[in-house]
Amino acid sequence: MRKIVLLLLLTLFGVSWLGIDAAAAAMPSAKPAVGQAVGSKNLELSQVRWANHTEALTGAAKLRLVMDVSGPVKASGVVINAPTPRLVVTVTGTTPGKGVADLTFDGQVVEKVSFDISGTDTKVTFDLPLKVEASDYKVFTLPSDAKANKPFRVVVDINKPLPLPDFSFTAGLKNKVIVIDPGHGGSDSGAIGPSRYQEKTVTLAVAQNVQDLLEKAGAKVIMTRQDDRDVFGSNATDVEELKARSSVGNNYKADIFLSIHADSFSNPAAGGTTTYYYQKTLYDSMMAEALQTSLIEAGNLQDRGARTANFYVIKRTQMPAALVELAFISNPNEEKLLSSPGFQQKMSLGIVRGLERFFDQAAKLN
Ligand SMILES: [Zn+2]
């Protein structure tokens, strides 16, 4: 069942697409600009719109930019990597129309798109955050479709390239710098179980166990919080609080970042263990899979799998990161387990074994 849902959710469309498309639909976008000389050999690039896609399965991002042209043209792209990475698309025999202006993006896939006249062509330059390979982009044209009221189009697809992991991991836990983030704390209790047990209590207890175990194995552990408190401050916004936590990892240049949470759902029957990751490099999913396997071995709860998510602390940390949901605090049986020191210790051992398993696997990539 879950696989089907994931397939259906494979691409989530950015809001920008709908907004721009609606605007484009209200305007006859393929009409030549007013004042365009009759017999002018240059066609016009009349409208530009775009969509951001995120693959739910891998977290990989993609940008699609569509340019409407007043007639059939040829288009091709070339990648330039120095001094900064760029994709330059040439749309032959066109000039950018009046409504076509440079675009600025969030920098995930593309930072900026600019439109320039180059001889009799339009040169469309995509400033990129990272260099792309030929397999990371595609430039193609679509014929006009009178029935659908669609003009001739030039389409540019760009995938966000996964950064080449410049991490090089050795096997074992010794000397590893590991940030442990006990979820919630202080003014934020996290989820609360039917018997009023609080998520922030179990996350800290397990984090402290994990710290002990890791230090015994020779790792250096940095905790985002050592006790029951907010990391940024009690009056922080959610983003400030989460940024404070991921900054601990980034500032210490930690090898890995692990956030510990307990799950909650409206249906008290929901239960099980889940590990979340955001695929920044190959290592994120590798770490999440290793943790999930070891947590299931340790706790023997329902295996909800290693899944991708957009959570701030796993996305904005610069090192491999994972967020574990130990069990459902909203499930009366699992709430009881979460509050018991025996189960807490079992899951702590599971986490430590999972991390060890990850470093062993990652070392084999070297
Ligand atoms: Zn939580």
Side-chain angles (χ1 to χ4, degrees), residues 1-8:
M1 183 61 193
R2 200 172 72 230
K3 271 181 192 150
I4 294 165
V5 173
L6 278 173
L7 281 173
L8 288 173

Side-chain angles (χ1 to χ4, degrees), residues 183-184 190-191 199 261-262 325:
H184 313 279
E199 182 184 354
H261 286 254
E325 298 276 10

Side-chain angles (χ1 to χ4, degrees), residues 15-343:
V15 196
S16 52
W17 181 260
L18 300 169
I20 298 294
D21 231 11
M27 262 181 279
S29 53
K31 265 192 191 163
V34 178
Q36 187 174 339
V38 177
S40 157
K41 65 180 178 160
N42 258 16
L43 297 169
E44 194 190 47
L45 207 152
S46 55
Q47 279 275 341
V48 179
R49 48 188 195 278
W50 69 90
N52 289 304
H53 305 243
T54 305
E55 258 186 52
L57 210 57
T58 60
K62 173 181 178 174
L63 177 85
R64 168 167 286 187
L65 189 99
V66 181
M67 297 174 268
D68 291 349
V69 190
S70 54
V73 290
K74 285 199 177 107
S76 60
V78 58
V79 170
I80 296 165
N81 281 318
T84 55
R86 277 166 292 157
L87 167 66
V88 180
V89 174
T90 302
V91 186
T92 55
T94 61
T95 44
K98 270 192 198 140
V100 174
D102 292 356
L103 303 166
T104 308
F105 292 92
D106 65 2
Q108 265 233 66
V109 185
V110 170
E111 288 162 349
K112 206 184 123 189
V113 181
S114 44
F115 300 86
D116 299 295
I117 296 170
S118 172
T120 54
D121 305 331
T122 300
K123 199 174 78 180
V124 188
T125 306
F126 297 76
D127 285 318
L128 309 169
L130 292 163
K131 72 177 227 174
V132 292
E133 304 297 333
S135 56
D136 288 324
Y137 76 90
K138 210 156 65 180
V139 180
F140 59 97
T141 57
L142 292 171
S144 60
D145 179 346
K147 264 190 205 154
N149 196 23
K150 287 192 166 157
F152 191 91
R153 285 147 292 161
V154 174
V155 182
V156 182
D157 282 339
I158 306 175
N159 295 324
K160 179 188 178 178
L162 286 183
L164 282 175
D166 53 355
F167 306 100
S168 160
F169 291 112
T170 53
L173 295 166
K174 202 169 160 52
N175 296 326
K176 295 297 184 326
V177 180
I178 298 173
V179 172
I180 303 291
D181 173 40
H184 313 279
S187 64
D188 171 17
S189 66
I192 302 175
S195 303
R196 312 304 298 161
Y197 188 63
Q198 299 187 343
E199 182 184 354
K200 68 174 181 178
T201 312
V202 63
T203 61
L204 182 61
V206 170
Q208 285 169 333
N209 291 344
V210 171
Q211 178 182 22
D212 281 353
L213 293 163
L214 287 176
E215 283 173 351
K216 277 185 191 130
K220 181 175 160 44
V221 177
I222 299 135
M223 302 275 278
T224 60
R225 65 179 179 100
Q226 294 276 10
D227 47 30
D228 183 17
R229 63 185 172 88
D230 300 87
V231 173
F232 185 95
S234 59
N235 53 3
T237 62
D238 284 354
V239 168
E240 281 172 335
E241 178 65 22
L242 295 171
K243 192 173 180 192
R245 290 170 191 255
S246 38
S247 296
V248 172
N250 293 341
N251 294 343
Y252 277 94
K253 301 206 183 315
D255 289 308
I256 55 168
F257 181 98
L258 174 67
S259 191
I260 299 173
H261 286 254
D263 228 328
S264 172
F265 193 63
S266 51
N267 181 349
T273 303
T274 322
T275 305
Y276 289 99
Y277 65 96
Y278 181 88
Q279 193 78 315
K280 297 169 298 207
T281 69
L282 303 169
Y283 292 119
D284 296 279
S285 55
M286 186 185 283
M287 178 170 151
E289 297 281 358
L291 279 163
Q292 180 68 11
T293 303
S294 297
L295 279 168
I296 295 303
E297 283 171 5
N300 208 21
L301 296 182
Q302 188 196 326
D303 184 357
R304 290 168 43 84
R307 304 180 177 194
T308 63
N310 251 330
F311 301 147
Y312 192 100
V313 294
I314 50 176
K315 185 174 173 182
R316 300 299 179 99
T317 35
Q318 287 159 340
M319 65 291 308
L323 184 149
V324 296
E325 298 276 10
L326 301 167
F328 278 69
I329 202 167
S330 48
N331 175 316
N333 295 329
E334 295 193 1
E335 180 192 28
K336 211 173 287 170
L337 284 173
L338 285 167
S339 65
S340 90
F343 183 78

